[in-house]
Amino acid sequence: MKIDPIIITSLFIYFLQTYTGNILIAVNPFQRLPHLYDSHMMAQYKGAAFGELSPHPFAVADAAYRLMINEGISQAILVSGESGAGKTESTKLLMRYLAYMGGRLASEGRSVEQKVLESNPVLEAFGNAKTVRNNNSSRFGKFVELQFDERGRISGAAIRTYLLERSRVCQLSDPERNYHCFYMLCAAPPEDIKHLKLGNPRTFHYLNQTNCYELDGIDDAKEYTATRKAMDTVGISSEEQDSIFRVIAAILHLGNIEFTKGKEYDSSMPKDEKSWFHLRTAAELFMCDEKALEDSLCRRVIVTRDETITKELDPEAAVSSRDALAKVVYSRLFDWLVDKINNSIGQDPNSKYLIGVLDIYGFESFKTNSFEQFCINLTNEKLQQHFNQHVFKMEQEEYTREEINWSYIEFIDNQDVLDLIEKKPGGIIALLDEACMFPRSTHDTFAQKLYQTFKNHKRFSKPKLARSDFTICHYAGDVTYQTELFLEKNKDYVIAEHQALLSASKCSFASSLFPVSNEETSKQSKFSSIGSRFKQQLQALLETLSATEPHYIRCVKPNNLLKPHIFENQNVLQQLRCGGVLEAIRISCAGYPTKRPFYEFVDRFGVLAPEALDGSTDEVAVCKKLLEKVGLEGYQIGKTKVFLRAGQMAVLDTKRTEILGKSASIIQRKIRSYMARKSFILFRRSTILIQSVCRGELARHDYETKRREASCLRIQRDLRMYIARKVYKEKRASALSVQTGMRGMAARNELRFRRQTKAAILIQSHCRKFLAHSKYVKLKKATITTQSAWRGRVARKELRSLKMAARETGALQAAKNKLEKQVEELTWRLQLEKRMRTDLEEAKTQENTKLRTAVQELQLQLKEAKDTLVKEREAAKTAAETIPVIQEVPVVDHELTEKLNAENAELKDLVSSLKTKIIETEKKYEETYKLSEERLKQAMEAESMIVKLKTTMHSLEERIADMESENKIQWQSLLTNKGVPPQSPDLASKVLENGNHANESITLNDLLLTPEKGFETPDNKPRRPPIDRQHEDVDALMECVVKDVGFSQGKPVAAFTIYKCLLHWKSFEAERTSVFDRLVQMIGSAIEDQDSNDHMAYWLSNTSTLLFLLQKSMKPAGTAGTASVRKPQPTSLFGRMTMGFRSSPSTVNFGAASAALETVKQVEAKYPALLFNQQLIAYVEKMYGIIRDNLKKELGSLLALCIQAPRTSKGSVLRSGRSFGKESHTNHWQGIIDCLNTLLTTLKENFVPPVLVQKIFTQTFQYVNVQLFNSLLLRRECCTFSNGEYVKSGLAELELWCCQAKDEYAGSAWDELKHIRQAVGFLVIHQKYRISYDEIINDLCPVLSVQQLYRICTLYWDDNYNTRSVSSEVISSMRVLMTEDSNNAVSNSFLLDDNSSIPFSIDELSNSIEVKDFLDVKPAIDLLENPYFHFLHE
């Protein structure tokens, strides 16, 4: 039996994980599968037996944890595999599960397990890089020790690292990248980049040696933020973080320092100004002296016994010194990070057990293999030996321990390769250390030494045509190493100048990386190599692993393209061979792969022979009886276990399943019998209960009858008592009435006598008073007559001057009347011109329609005649060919020919005449169109003239009002100064008798009747005229409401305050006023900032509320109680504002206001109020359109991204729409939800009427439907199955938003998405080819037209499951229907149009608000403190 095809087939079927004995083989899927590694999956594997559930890393971790708890033995999990196989991710999953099992909260700060998990991002940022085989390859080895207490809780942890690849800092090969931290720092926030003087990675030498700067699906800026957060978690302070990134930036600047020859021989210096800049920047970041940094790079100090010699370095040596400094700084920084993480996590010296997780580099073999690959492959050789010792030897030791019959199984031992590499004193590492100690040694001499030493070794060979290369035959294959950089990379020492430079740094962090040690200075000559140190670390690791119980996970990379769903058999097979998996399977199959303890075997398969278990306690005998009854052969019985050959376990499981199935049938029969009896008992109890209830009901009925009889007797007794008592009370009341009448008559007589006496006394007193008053009046009248004569003379003189001023006022009034007549005349002319133009266009349209119809009918007749003629000719030709020709005799039907020629001529004449008429009609149409354009231009000029005249008229009215008020004030002041008394009848009659004008006397009397208090303050001080007072009040109102005064009881304070002021000032009833113009100007200037939705929503709320109050208050003369049909309003703001000049606002239902409430009062509206009403309507519609268009503009860019799923998520996300929101890096649908929530919150905060909010979101959703549906029909990449699932998940979020917003604000917005919902629903159907056309148009997509359905069906393609579209019969049916509708221009258009009209009327707005909502609204607080606005307190 061949093992290779079987294991490959098993991996291909399971693809993710499978078991080989106790070894887990994990295949990298190259995609995110979060549902396989969440907390729910952890709970399933918790406590489950190994092998009971599907293969999984959690199962290995749980087995290790259970063994540690139950047997008290420390465990180790070894994760191995080549680069890109998923070792790091598997290690993370293992640590997550162990933290889940043994996690607990620490007393302070974060828990230990969380710090361990958060240390992974930090170490990956500084120790991982992109290689040829892996985008996130670990360039160091890592062994994590999780320490547990006696209760199995994590009490401490430690992280050990091995062999960081230092040379990667300075040397790169295409297409690899440097360590991730360099690219993260270049993508840091702008302030950090400016502080560290960084820029694009392409500008740094250590990063631009390759063309790869970015990784697909990785945002370096977000990774920088995540790394910072992880550093906070593991206990690295912000100051230490800043110092770390200062050192990283300094390394980048070091790499940009170039050198050229200096002034002296073999000397060097920075090349140019750019190099000097980077030198200064590096010195600034290291916080060291610039000159000292230059000397450490360009010079060496040699200390002898007698003197100190300074040696200059050439440019090549200076570059090497620069790179050496960068590598040693980065290496020390990485070691500091590991120590800091260990100190932060903390180790528990009293821990009972530990579980170690080893994540170390896999076997590497490249085109160029250097010292790093040599050390990595040595590690894998050591681990392979440990694997052999544990797996192979353990298997055979178990056979020996159980004392069963078996034959020895051979396996490959790699001890000779380990001796070749690390044996002392003749191993490769020993020879390398020896070569490094001699200054004159080179890689050539080292290679020659290797050739001489190992020329006869079977594992060592020299490649052909190579001078310094050598090849080692590893367990995984032959690897050829290049020795050019072996000596340089093996040396582990710091240049003295670099040590002194950074030790003296002013940066405490940088100096702490290079501490000054007396021991080091005294032992500078002692040699230290990386190879020897790494060998010691490796030996310590193996000692740790030997003290634990190991578990193995072999990670496999299915392909070298790093893409999902690709399985390369040969590549996988080679990895399994390198990992020793195939050898383990061979040994297992050669022996007994299935082993079960006696108790477990009996417990599982005891049902196969129950009689063997009766009265028997010998498990060995029971197991033998079971196996003999089943009839298996080739098994072995050990001391504690049963050993089965391959396939025998499946036979036992099959028989066990059959017996359990029969037992289940018996159990079901018993259960059904029990349930039937239980149902019968319940039915019997219910019957008894019903009978008892019926008997109780009969008893209660009998009791009720007896109770009614007793009640009737009591009622009769009480009624008789009531009648007797009533008769008694009537007799008593009659006696009292007679007594009261007698006593009242006596009292009235006494009162009449007293009133007569009092009246007589009052008459006498008034008579005496009249006589005395008559005498006093005669004396006073004579005095007043004398005074009035003199004062009248003075007043007539002043009257003549006032009459001159009045004549000027009359002239202004006449000019005003003339302008009003001109305005009315221009208005009527404009209306007449528009009406004539409309009539002309309608007549022209009708005439054109009739002519086109006639032409089409004639063309059809001509076509039919031609077809008839052609058919007759063909028939004649056919008849002539079929009849045998005897003699050629020409036969011509001259009458028919002449008739056809005549008809043809008539038709041609008719067509020509129609063409002539059409041309004439088009000429008339052009002339009429020009005339209408001229008249329209004149109408627009007339409208502008009307506006100018209206403005002039208002200014004249104000001037007239001002002059009249000034005249009254002058008259009053004159009369007051002269001391004119109140009205004197004698004076008025004398003026009339002297022949003066009556009008003048009346005017004077009117002025004299005006109270003096009207122009004086309460303390008798003169105040300003009323017109100035009104202007000041209007200014105060404007100054108050132009600010954001907020809301009261959910209503805008500004609108309510304006309405109360207008109502108090009686502005609605005024024939002329400037208040409305001021308000319109204020609103227009307030909404100039159209980009702020918050500002626009505030003014929309105020304007709509003020419009509602005006609608409920105004009652124009002649329209009370009626409501005419609203005419179509102009679309432009100017047209709506000027419409008040031409027609009255008939859209307002003035009789709908409630007169019962004092808050809103009805008034007779005049022309200015009606005009102001029209202007408010225009502003409400304008602000509504601005808010709606702003929202559409925000959603436009997001909708373009939402119609197609992101490419990076198609591999894993689009399989399940539920996981999209979690995995997508840029969730554009969430951006749309955020925009909608932001606008809804703004509208709610500003208390915009709900009807306007509903219309805004309804039109917005209609816009979303149009954009998504049209994009779906125009772009083929959007008509896919996966894209349908993506859009469907986004629509589900919109539906959830509508439900959360409720119908009060969302309205019917969700129904507007019907086109895109039905289209997406059709895309995600799996078996489209089984659906008929009737099912599509009636059930699935009833809203979509035939053209739209045909477009979707032809563009559809499935990028996930390769399913077919609808059947060809359905496509043919659609094509036939489209051909039939081809003449219909509307049906040919398959795209949707967006509707941008105003979707609401003023009546809808008025009906959505109630007057009672304004009862508790408070006016503006600033105006309440003003004494001239005291009416707002009412």
Side-chain angles (χ1 to χ4, degrees), residues 123 326 566 570:
L123 295 179
I566 299 176
Q570 294 299 326

Side-chain angles (χ1 to χ4, degrees), residues 622-837:
V622 172
C623 291
K624 289 182 179 179
K625 290 181 180 180
L626 287 175
L627 292 171
E628 289 174 358
K629 183 177 181 180
V630 174
L632 295 180
E633 296 180 356
Y635 60 87
Q636 292 283 345
I637 301 295
K639 286 186 175 182
T640 60
K641 294 180 181 180
V642 176
F643 293 84
L644 301 177
R645 291 288 186 182
Q648 291 182 343
M649 179 62 76
V651 175
L652 293 174
D653 285 333
T654 302
K655 297 190 179 230
R656 178 176 175 269
T657 304
E658 293 177 358
I659 294 176
L660 291 178
K662 294 179 181 178
S663 302
S665 300
I666 297 173
I667 294 172
Q668 290 174 358
R669 184 174 71 245
K670 296 294 183 181
I671 290 294
R672 291 191 184 100
S673 174
Y674 168 78
M675 292 179 66
R677 178 170 180 80
K678 184 178 180 181
S679 177
F680 166 75
I681 294 173
L682 180 62
F683 181 78
R684 182 172 175 272
R685 289 179 180 175
S686 301
T687 305
I688 295 172
L689 181 61
I690 292 172
Q691 291 174 355
S692 63
V693 170
C694 291
R695 294 190 185 100
E697 183 65 22
L698 293 174
R700 283 190 294 272
H701 185 268
D702 187 25
Y703 168 78
E704 185 66 23
T705 303
K706 294 180 179 179
R707 188 167 172 265
R708 284 177 179 273
E709 291 177 357
S711 300
C712 290
L713 293 176
R714 185 170 183 178
I715 290 171
Q716 291 175 3
R717 182 190 64 194
D718 292 341
L719 180 60
R720 294 188 187 100
M721 181 181 68
Y722 170 77
I723 293 173
R725 184 174 181 83
K726 183 178 181 182
V727 172
Y728 165 76
K729 286 185 177 181
E730 288 178 353
K731 290 180 180 180
R732 184 174 179 273
S734 300
L736 292 176
S737 299
V738 172
Q739 293 175 2
T740 303
M742 295 299 292
R743 294 186 185 110
M745 184 174 63
R748 282 190 293 274
N749 292 333
E750 179 66 21
L751 178 62
R752 190 181 303 109
F753 173 75
R754 291 182 180 180
R755 284 181 177 177
Q756 289 177 356
T757 304
K758 186 177 180 180
I761 295 171
L762 184 61
I763 291 171
Q764 291 174 1
S765 64
H766 277 283
C767 183
R768 296 187 186 100
K769 176 184 176 183
F770 174 75
L771 294 175
H773 184 265
S774 299
K775 183 176 180 181
Y776 168 76
V777 168
K778 289 181 181 179
L779 181 60
K780 182 180 178 181
K781 184 176 180 180
T783 305
I784 292 175
T785 302
T786 305
Q787 293 175 352
S788 298
W790 174 253
R791 290 170 182 163
R793 181 179 178 184
V794 176
R796 281 191 294 276
K797 185 176 180 182
E798 294 292 332
L799 180 60
R800 295 189 187 93
S801 60
L802 292 175
K803 286 173 64 178
M804 297 297 294
R807 292 191 184 95
E808 296 178 358
T809 304
L812 293 174
Q813 185 68 31
K816 172 202 167 186
N817 294 335
K818 184 177 180 181
L819 289 174
E820 288 179 348
K821 290 180 180 179
Q822 291 179 358
V823 168
E824 292 177 357
E825 183 180 356
L826 290 173
T827 302
W828 285 111
R829 286 180 58 189
L830 177 62
Q831 292 179 353
L832 182 60
E833 290 290 341
K834 287 194 171 183
R835 193 175 296 112
M836 291 174 63
R837 179 184 176 188

Side-chain angles (χ1 to χ4, degrees), residues 1070-1286:
E1071 290 288 344
R1072 52 182 179 273
T1073 179
S1074 61
V1075 177
F1076 297 125
D1077 295 334
R1078 296 281 302 279
L1079 289 174
V1080 170
Q1081 183 180 4
M1082 178 199 69
I1083 295 174
S1085 60
I1087 64 173
E1088 289 179 355
D1089 183 15
Q1090 299 182 1
D1091 295 332
S1092 176
N1093 284 338
D1094 193 4
H1095 188 68
M1096 298 300 298
Y1098 172 78
W1099 281 105
L1100 177 60
S1101 177
N1102 279 277
T1103 311
S1104 59
T1105 303
L1106 183 58
L1107 177 61
F1108 163 76
L1109 294 173
L1110 261 64
Q1111 297 280 23
K1112 296 298 182 182
S1113 298
M1114 293 190 302
K1115 184 175 64 175
T1119 61
T1122 61
S1124 58
V1125 181
R1126 179 181 179 182
K1127 298 180 181 179
Q1129 296 193 7
T1131 58
S1132 64
L1133 177 63
F1134 176 77
R1136 290 195 294 269
M1137 294 176 64
T1138 57
M1139 186 176 179
F1141 294 103
R1142 301 191 296 271
S1143 61
S1144 63
S1146 61
T1147 61
V1148 184
N1149 187 3
F1150 294 96
S1154 177
L1157 297 176
E1158 296 180 0
T1159 305
V1160 179
K1161 300 179 181 179
Q1162 284 195 340
V1163 296
E1164 293 291 336
K1166 300 299 181 182
Y1167 175 79
L1170 299 179
L1171 175 61
F1172 180 62
N1173 181 68
Q1174 293 296 326
Q1175 293 169 336
L1176 281 182
I1177 293 173
Y1179 273 121
V1180 169
E1181 295 177 353
K1182 180 179 180 181
M1183 285 183 276
Y1184 169 87
I1186 291 172
I1187 296 175
R1188 178 197 61 197
D1189 295 339
N1190 286 344
L1191 180 57
K1192 288 184 179 180
K1193 189 183 301 181
E1194 292 179 7
L1195 297 181
S1197 58
L1198 295 174
L1199 289 176
L1201 301 173
C1202 288
I1203 188 58
Q1204 188 175 3
R1207 294 181 180 273
T1208 56
S1209 63
K1210 282 186 179 180
S1212 61
V1213 175
L1214 295 182
R1215 292 183 179 271
S1216 175
R1218 295 173 296 177
S1219 64
F1220 170 76
K1222 300 179 182 178
E1223 296 298 323
S1224 177
H1225 296 289
T1226 55
N1227 195 340
H1228 309 296
W1229 288 102
Q1230 188 60 39
I1232 293 178
I1233 299 299
D1234 293 341
C1235 291
L1236 296 176
N1237 286 331
T1238 301
L1239 181 60
L1240 179 59
T1241 303
T1242 300
L1243 297 177
K1244 285 183 179 179
E1245 290 175 352
N1246 292 278
F1247 298 99
V1248 177
V1251 64
L1252 298 182
V1253 180
Q1254 289 182 8
K1255 299 299 181 181
I1256 289 174
F1257 287 115
T1258 299
Q1259 284 198 314
T1260 302
F1261 273 61
Q1262 181 185 10
Y1263 171 76
V1264 172
N1265 179 61
V1266 170
Q1267 294 297 321
L1268 293 179
F1269 187 76
N1270 290 347
S1271 299
L1272 192 69
L1273 297 183
L1274 295 176
R1275 297 167 59 183
R1276 185 175 185 273
E1277 63 271 19
C1278 297
C1279 283
T1280 63
F1281 182 89
S1282 59
N1283 199 66
E1285 290 186 334
Y1286 173 77

Side-chain angles (χ1 to χ4, degrees), residues 1291-1305:
L1291 295 178
E1293 294 188 13
L1294 291 181
E1295 182 180 8
L1296 179 60
W1297 181 89
C1298 291
C1299 294
Q1300 293 175 352
K1302 300 181 180 178
D1303 291 339
E1304 181 183 3
Y1305 297 104

Side-chain angles (χ1 to χ4, degrees), residues 836-837 840-841 844-845 848 921-937:
M836 291 174 63
R837 179 184 176 188
L840 183 60
E841 289 180 352
K844 176 188 64 179
T845 303
N848 288 340
T921 305
E922 289 179 350
K923 291 181 180 180
K924 291 181 181 180
Y925 172 78
E926 291 177 355
E927 294 176 357
T928 307
Y929 180 78
K930 292 180 180 179
L931 181 60
S932 63
E933 288 293 328
E934 293 177 357
R935 291 182 177 177
L936 178 61
K937 185 177 181 180

Side-chain angles (χ1 to χ4, degrees), residues 584-598:
I585 296 173
R586 183 183 65 81
I587 294 175
S588 178
C589 291
Y592 298 91
T594 305
K595 302 174 283 292
R596 290 290 184 272
F598 291 144

Side-chain angles (χ1 to χ4, degrees), residues 592-610:
Y592 298 91
T594 305
K595 302 174 283 292
R596 290 290 184 272
F598 291 144
Y599 70 90
E600 182 179 342
F601 187 82
V602 172
D603 181 64
R604 181 172 181 83
F605 300 107
V607 295
L608 299 179

